[in-house]
Amino acid sequence: EELNKLRIEPAQPVFEVQIDGSLRQVEAVVTARIEGARIRLTEGNGAFSVNIYPIEDKKDELHYYTENKASEASFLRRLLELGFTQTPDGKLRLQGENEILRFYASDLPKLRQFATVTTGDRWEAATRGLLRIQPKAILSGRDEASPTGGGADWLSLEVAYESAGGHRVPRNEVLRLIRSGKSSLRGQDGKTYVLDAEMCEDFEEALEDSHSRFGPGQQLKVPLEAGEILAAFADPAAINSALGEPMTDAELRAILGDAFMKMLRPYQIEGVRWLERLHRSRRGGLLADDMGLGKTVQSLSLLRLALAGAEFETANQPALVVCPTSLLSNWAAEAERFAPELPCVILHGNDRRTQYKALKTKGIILTTYGLISRDLEIHRPQTYRALIMDEASHLRNPDTDAAKALRQIRATSRFALTGTPVENSVQDLWSIYQILLPGYLGGRDDFRDRFHKPLSSATDRKERSRIMERLRRRVNPYLLRRTKGEVAKDLPAKIEKIIWCPLTAMQQEYYQRLLEEGREEIKLARKRSGQGGSRATMFTVLLRLRQVCNDLRLLGVPEPKGMENWTSGEEAQCSGKWSALREFFTEIREIGGKTLIFSQFVSMLKLIKPLLDEQDLPYCYLDGSSSDRGEQVSTFQKDESKKAFLISLKAGGYGLNLTAAENVVLVDPWWNPAVEAQAIDRAHRIGQTNPVTAYRFVSKGTIEEKILQLQSRKRETAELAMDDEPLVMTGLNESDLHELLE
């Protein structure tokens, strides 16, 4: 029992940087603090100089920390990107007065945000006469729109470039210095004023991004919805006050009730405040909490607040919720549970007009992405109190009928819900925001030229980071993202393992032949249609190879003579995964617990059914054609006899809460790690009380192994793009396809 409580996880070191030197040369010594121990970081690969692992948690004798090489390497890389170089004795060195002035003005303040920085006497003496010049936006008022709806809300600000002591530099002088590449000037008081050039450039870009208008002097008019873009350069309290303060606990409790408030977790209450504040100011937002953190209950809390009181009774403004068809019943059930006072109608079936009239004045209307465009003439005349779009990844393509229709829906506020707001490229964000806040991210071509293309072509990490920082500054005011690691620390651990499966001789023969034939087909396709014309052929080849890795029968391979019945012993010739799966299921049966089994291929799931029967593991089943989705989920959750759940990856991507499971099997890997994360998080979510272990069955030396490598690179891209949060995934481009088929 004690062994079951043992937890071993990578350390989360607190990094410390000691800086000393002059304006000609600066040296930095880096250490890491873990449970009171201080370890110096050595040169080279970023590993600690002394192997002190595992480290025992001083508060829990059953909790140990292991080395976190990824965190160490990432921190060291950040310092090297600032211009430091490594010395043989393990120090980091920065040389050159211009480089050091830039470090003092721009990089040192940022370094203090993610590390503890101490400075030596020589550095203090060298920088005593330096004063940093930074931009400021000083709020002077708000111009509200006409009560009749004419015009728009604006914020009035004053722009200033000044030091902590109040010394100001005219804006035109700052722009001149930036253009000339200079970063310092001598003041009449004899002091040296150093321009935080990077922050000044960021500020000028923010002014451009916010569609600001300069008036007399340095007065600035900023559209209300863009005001928070400038919050980093202004007094946040003043901006928040102008945009509206969040509701207090007492105000929320008065409408939602004390029992309901106690049910919500603290981060969910903060989410409700965020949603309500944006709704009250007639804006919108993207709630991008990790899967399983309760986006539905937060949204229903908002609807209770938005539709409360006498105003709601007479406003003739119901709320509209749009979701995938598979989630209609889930939303109806959650609305009955969390907002029972609000009538709820599912707009689905042949009598939708009648259903709509039944809820013309109040309550919640539920409809689907497939129906919203077909029923546009019903919705277009109506103004909705709020529009909620669940699983908003359905809106990544702005040219779909659903996206076009939703841009025409009138609503006081608009909110999108998805744990993976970007799966293919950052253009996904533009499509979603164009529905939430039309025009906020600029035109489609402008966004592509300013963000998507530069990110795609940038090879330097620092350059890409700068582009992403600018994009984050624009989207973050209307994006709320919390991860399980941040807010659900009581959630059990998630462990991921790879089970390597060698190809059988028969598989190897087919695999090699299909690979060679596929490469020839790709060459012919390029000759016919040019370089880009082979993309469809490449996907076809990829599909065949992935099918071979699972089981030859997925290709429709004729049964060899003597194997017409495909008995359990003989079927192992068709796939190296069968022996591994049989061994795994035998172990699971003996240990106990429930297991989710995912595959991209419905035909593979059907081949697994007899294996589960053989192992005496009763199961539930769900794929895209299943009509009893809710019943299958309920049975698996409640029936102790059901030990496994076979689910196609597509059918299991949305709306499933399967916390009864402790194990997740991914029979075949997928190149988008966000999709796999969705599958795993069907079990690893709020309500789970046991550790969740995910098992990937991967054919060794095949395209599946290359897919894992591709996943790893995409995760690195995501971490770079969104500050270590997996928000950005990239779709398969030509380079990815070539790499997989090499």
Side-chain angles (χ1 to χ4, degrees):
E1 184 178 347
E2 288 295 308
L3 188 60
N4 291 334
K5 295 180 181 178
L6 182 65
R7 290 187 298 136
I8 301 175
E9 59 185 0
Q12 298 299 325
V14 176
F15 293 104
E16 300 177 351
V17 182
Q18 183 179 1
I19 293 173
D20 207 357
S22 66
L23 295 183
R24 292 188 299 275
Q25 178 173 294
V26 173
E27 288 186 343
V29 176
V30 183
T31 58
R33 181 160 38 86
I34 304 161
E35 286 295 299
R38 291 166 57 91
I39 310 98
R40 179 169 165 177
L41 207 61
T42 63
E43 71 281 359
N45 59 8
F48 287 120
S49 56
V50 181
N51 185 11
I52 62 170
Y53 296 99
I55 298 176
E56 183 181 351
D57 187 337
K58 293 183 178 180
K59 298 179 182 178
D60 184 354
E61 61 182 10
L62 293 175
H63 186 199
Y64 287 85
Y65 298 103
T66 58
E67 186 176 16
N68 190 337
K69 290 185 178 180
S71 179
E72 299 162 18
S74 176
F75 183 81
L76 187 61
R77 186 171 59 241
R78 285 190 178 193
L79 292 173
L80 295 176
E81 287 171 355
L82 298 182
F84 283 90
T85 57
Q86 292 176 310
T87 63
D89 60 354
K91 294 182 180 180
L92 295 171
R93 181 171 294 158
L94 180 65
Q95 294 178 305
E97 184 171 346
N98 288 337
E99 287 74 14
I100 291 172
L101 286 175
R102 186 213 67 232
F103 171 74
Y104 167 82
S106 299
D107 296 331
L108 184 56
K110 291 184 179 179
L111 183 60
R112 294 183 188 277
Q113 294 175 9
F114 56 88
T116 301
V117 178
T118 58
T119 53
D121 293 341
R122 292 174 59 220
W123 174 257
E124 290 295 324
T127 58
R128 190 166 292 127
L130 301 181
L131 290 174
R132 185 182 293 109
I133 295 290
Q134 293 180 316
K136 288 186 179 180
I138 305 166
L139 183 67
S140 56
R142 171 177 169 178
D143 302 326
E144 296 194 9
S146 163
T148 60
D153 287 357
W154 293 81
L155 297 178
S156 297
L157 302 103
E158 179 188 356
V159 174
Y161 293 84
E162 63 181 37
S163 70
H167 179 82
R168 289 194 174 188
V169 178
R171 179 170 178 258
N172 58 355
E173 177 66 9
V174 169
L175 296 179
R176 186 189 66 78
L177 286 171
I178 292 175
R179 286 193 296 268
S180 66
K182 296 180 180 179
S183 60
S184 63
L185 68 159
R186 179 76 64 173
Q188 293 181 354
D189 53 6
K191 295 181 179 179
T192 300
Y193 292 92
V194 184
L195 200 66
D196 185 341
E198 191 167 314
M199 189 174 182
C200 290
E201 289 176 6
D202 287 345
F203 182 62
E204 290 296 326
E205 289 176 348
L207 294 180
E208 181 183 355
D209 292 340
S210 63
H211 307 294
S212 304
R213 301 176 184 174
F214 270 103
Q218 297 299 306
Q219 287 296 317
L220 193 71
K221 294 288 187 180
V222 181
L224 178 68
E225 67 273 11
E228 288 184 89
I229 294 178
L230 299 174
F233 309 97
D235 178 1
I239 294 288
N240 288 337
S241 178
L243 297 177
E245 296 289 348
M247 293 183 75
T248 64
D249 279 357
E251 291 171 328
L252 289 173
R253 191 174 292 110
I255 300 175
L256 299 178
D258 188 59
F260 189 89
M261 287 286 287
K262 288 180 179 178
M263 180 196 68
L264 295 176
R265 292 170 175 249
Y267 76 87
Q268 291 174 331
I269 294 175
E270 288 306 309
V272 173
R273 284 196 179 96
W274 183 80
L275 292 166
E276 191 281 332
R277 177 173 174 256
L278 291 175
H279 166 76
R280 190 172 0 122
S281 59
R282 305 189 303 278
R283 291 178 285 169
L286 174 54
L287 182 58
D289 282 349
D290 237 349
M291 288 168 287
L293 293 185
K295 293 187 288 292
T296 303
V297 69
Q298 293 176 71
S299 302
L300 286 167
S301 300
L302 166 70
L303 296 186
R304 289 186 62 192
L305 296 168
L307 299 175
E311 179 188 4
F312 155 61
E313 295 291 342
T314 59
N316 190 30
Q317 289 185 358
L320 179 65
V321 175
V322 187
C323 64
T325 304
S326 59
L327 296 189
L328 281 175
S329 58
N330 181 71
W331 263 95
E334 296 292 271
E336 175 63 28
R337 177 185 176 191
F338 296 119
E341 77 276 19
L342 298 178
C344 183
V345 165
I346 296 179
L347 201 62
H348 200 258
N350 295 327
D351 58 342
R352 296 195 296 278
R353 289 182 181 274
T354 303
Q355 295 168 344
Y356 185 81
K357 290 178 182 178
L359 200 63
K360 185 68 175 175
T361 59
K362 61 181 181 178
I364 302 172
I365 296 174
L366 303 177
T367 190
T368 71
Y369 289 112
L371 291 176
I372 193 68
S373 59
R374 294 165 62 181
D375 294 343
L376 192 55
E377 73 279 4
I378 297 177
H379 299 290
R380 190 183 282 118
Q382 178 68 47
T383 297
Y384 290 102
R385 193 69 168 164
L387 169 62
I388 305 289
M389 295 161 283
D390 195 11
E391 298 297 351
S393 56
H394 280 74
L395 302 173
R396 296 191 305 265
N397 183 351
D399 297 322
T400 61
D401 290 341
K404 291 177 181 177
L406 285 166
R407 291 198 291 268
Q408 300 180 54
I409 299 295
R410 293 188 296 173
T412 302
S413 60
R414 300 156 175 264
F415 296 96
L417 317 178
T418 175
T420 53
V422 181
E423 293 185 24
N424 297 316
S425 76
V426 293
Q427 289 191 108
D428 295 352
L429 275 177
W430 182 88
S431 181
I432 295 172
Y433 269 68
Q434 189 65 9
I435 299 172
L436 298 177
L437 299 158
Y440 175 73
L441 292 182
R444 186 175 184 178
D445 292 341
D446 176 65
F447 185 86
R448 182 177 62 247
D449 292 341
R450 296 174 70 187
F451 295 103
H452 176 62
K453 285 184 178 179
L455 279 171
S456 300
S457 60
T459 56
D460 179 70
R461 180 185 174 91
K462 189 171 184 180
E463 180 186 357
R464 294 170 67 194
S465 296
R466 180 169 173 76
I467 298 168
M468 282 309 308
E469 177 59 35
R470 184 179 182 187
L471 179 57
R472 275 195 296 271
R473 187 168 58 237
R474 293 189 71 175
V475 302
N476 278 359
Y478 300 102
L479 184 147
L480 182 61
R481 164 80 171 173
R482 280 82 60 87
T483 66
K484 289 173 185 167
E486 294 170 340
V487 300
K489 299 185 183 301
D490 55 337
L491 199 62
K494 178 171 66 174
I495 304 164
E496 299 187 30
K497 297 182 178 180
I498 297 175
I499 297 178
W500 296 103
C501 307
L503 295 180
T504 67
M506 187 187 301
Q507 268 183 299
Q508 185 66 51
E509 179 185 344
Y510 273 93
Y511 185 90
Q512 195 59 39
R513 191 174 76 215
L514 286 174
L515 181 59
E516 293 171 0
E517 292 174 353
R519 288 170 175 166
E520 289 301 317
E521 290 179 22
I522 292 167
K523 288 180 182 177
L524 291 174
R526 286 179 185 153
K527 287 181 180 179
R528 289 194 304 266
S529 308
Q531 183 73 17
S534 63
R535 187 176 176 85
T537 305
M538 295 170 85
F539 272 112
T540 301
V541 175
L542 285 174
L543 174 63
R544 292 174 189 161
L545 294 175
R546 294 180 66 230
Q547 288 174 321
V548 170
C549 290
N550 263 351
D551 190 288
L552 291 177
R553 287 169 287 180
L554 272 62
L555 273 180
V557 173
E559 300 170 356
K561 188 176 181 180
M563 291 180 59
E564 284 79 5
N565 294 324
W566 295 96
T567 63
S568 60
E570 293 167 332
E571 75 178 357
Q573 297 184 47
C574 293
S575 175
K577 293 185 179 181
W578 288 116
S579 59
L581 284 168
R582 180 172 284 104
E583 182 179 338
F584 175 82
F585 291 144
T586 300
E587 184 178 346
I588 290 297
R589 185 191 63 210
E590 294 173 354
I591 295 175
K594 295 195 172 196
T595 303
L596 308 181
I597 305 166
F598 288 94
S599 176
Q600 287 280 315
F601 304 99
V602 172
S603 50
M604 187 65 182
L605 295 177
K606 292 179 178 178
L607 289 176
I608 294 174
K609 285 183 177 182
L611 182 57
L612 294 176
D613 292 333
E614 173 192 317
Q615 296 291 322
D616 193 26
L617 289 171
Y619 56 85
C620 296
Y621 181 86
L622 182 66
D623 65 30
S625 65
S626 301
S627 58
D628 58 345
R629 179 187 179 96
E631 181 181 342
Q632 291 292 316
V633 171
S634 177
T635 299
F636 180 77
Q637 285 287 94
K638 298 176 182 178
D639 189 343
E640 286 299 321
S641 70
K642 300 297 185 183
K643 298 301 182 183
F645 200 158
L646 292 162
I647 310 172
S648 70
L649 204 53
K650 184 176 182 180
Y654 302 110
L656 296 183
N657 189 336
L658 299 170
T659 52
E662 304 171 14
N663 306 295
V664 180
V665 169
L666 299 168
V667 179
D668 35 79
W670 185 243
W671 43 71
N672 189 334
V675 175
E676 287 196 353
Q678 285 178 334
I680 296 170
D681 286 343
R682 298 304 101 202
H684 192 248
R685 59 200 297 121
I686 296 298
Q688 179 60 265
T689 57
N690 298 309
V692 173
T693 304
Y695 301 87
R696 288 179 172 85
F697 285 72
V698 181
S699 296
K700 186 70 174 175
T702 70
I703 192 172
E704 290 191 337
E705 186 172 355
K706 291 184 177 181
I707 286 173
L708 289 189
Q709 296 168 358
L710 182 62
Q711 284 182 347
S712 177
R713 194 172 70 248
K714 288 181 179 295
R715 287 193 185 96
E716 291 177 2
T717 300
E719 291 171 359
L720 165 68
M722 301 304 279
D723 277 346
D724 299 328
E725 292 187 15
L727 282 179
V728 176
M729 298 291 124
T730 15
L732 284 183
N733 54 38
E734 290 290 328
S735 176
D736 294 332
L737 292 168
H738 286 301
E739 179 183 330
L740 290 171
L741 292 170
E742 281 181 355

